[in-house]
Amino acid sequence: MTPEMTARASALLDAYKEKRLKIATAESCTGGLVAALLTEISGSSAVVERGFVTYSNEAKTELIGVPADLIAAHGAVSEPVARAMAEGALGHSRADVAVGITGVAGPTGGTASKPVGLVHFGLARKGAPMVHLERRYGDLGRTEIRRRAVEDALSLLEQALR
């Protein structure tokens, strides 16, 4: 991650700490990069409640309660699953805000309807409506797709403070 992203994450943690809010993450295609970026910063334990790396469909179901029939009906990379991941992370933690991320980072795994670079995000906050974000970054390479997904996850976590 870049120094700019680390500085942004540090400011985000400060804002959450000031409001006494905690964060949980449920990550698939980013493999824990959001949680890693946040926990790279000293003092992050005051804000980061926990992170779930739910790369497999089974992990999504077993760890955070995403219904298997939801995955079967829509596929792991979908709006309903991203929403369920965020809700599941919130429900299986003591966090106030949770972000869920699922996508196709490539270079393999893309299809015509779910191409490489497609990422769905869910943001759940206690007492607030669920937020969904869809990004189609294009086939920019695995590292760049994941980096951009982390940036968008930070944006959603910043948005939850407004």
Side-chain angles (χ1 to χ4, degrees), residues 6-70:
T6 302
R8 186 173 170 200
S10 182
L12 177 76
L13 290 171
D14 288 344
Y16 271 77
K17 189 174 182 179
E18 184 178 307
K19 293 188 181 226
R20 298 178 185 223
L21 296 173
K22 293 200 176 275
I23 295 171
T25 63
E27 301 180 66
S28 186
C29 65
T30 50
L33 288 174
V34 175
L37 174 64
L38 294 173
T39 59
E40 189 174 313
I41 297 156
S42 179
S44 59
S45 61
V47 174
V48 179
E49 206 283 318
R50 69 186 74 184
F52 300 94
V53 177
T54 55
Y55 206 72
S56 69
N57 292 344
E58 293 78 14
K60 290 173 183 64
T61 299
E62 294 167 10
L63 294 176
I64 55 174
V66 176
D69 60 344
L70 189 72

Side-chain angles (χ1 to χ4, degrees), residues 1-9 12 27 29-30 33-35 37-38 99 101 119 121 123 133 135 137 140 143-159 162:
M1 298 296 132
T2 66
E4 294 81 14
M5 288 174 73
T6 302
R8 186 173 170 200
L12 177 76
E27 301 180 66
C29 65
T30 50
L33 288 174
V34 175
L37 174 64
L38 294 173
V99 63
I101 308 161
V119 180
F121 302 83
L123 179 78
L133 175 67
R135 288 287 192 235
Y137 303 117
L140 305 173
T143 300
E144 182 62 14
I145 290 166
R146 288 164 39 111
R147 187 190 68 73
R148 289 191 183 194
V150 170
E151 287 184 335
D152 280 326
L154 289 177
S155 293
L156 285 171
L157 290 168
E158 290 163 349
Q159 178 182 329
R162 294 186 208 118

Side-chain angles (χ1 to χ4, degrees), residues 26 64 80-93 98-100 122-124 130:
I64 55 174
V81 169
R83 288 173 175 268
M85 287 173 67
E87 289 171 349
L90 198 60
H92 288 83
S93 72
V99 63
L123 179 78
M130 168 68 68

Side-chain angles (χ1 to χ4, degrees), residues 107-120:
T108 60
T111 65
S113 62
K114 295 183 182 184
V116 170
L118 173 64
V119 180
H120 286 276

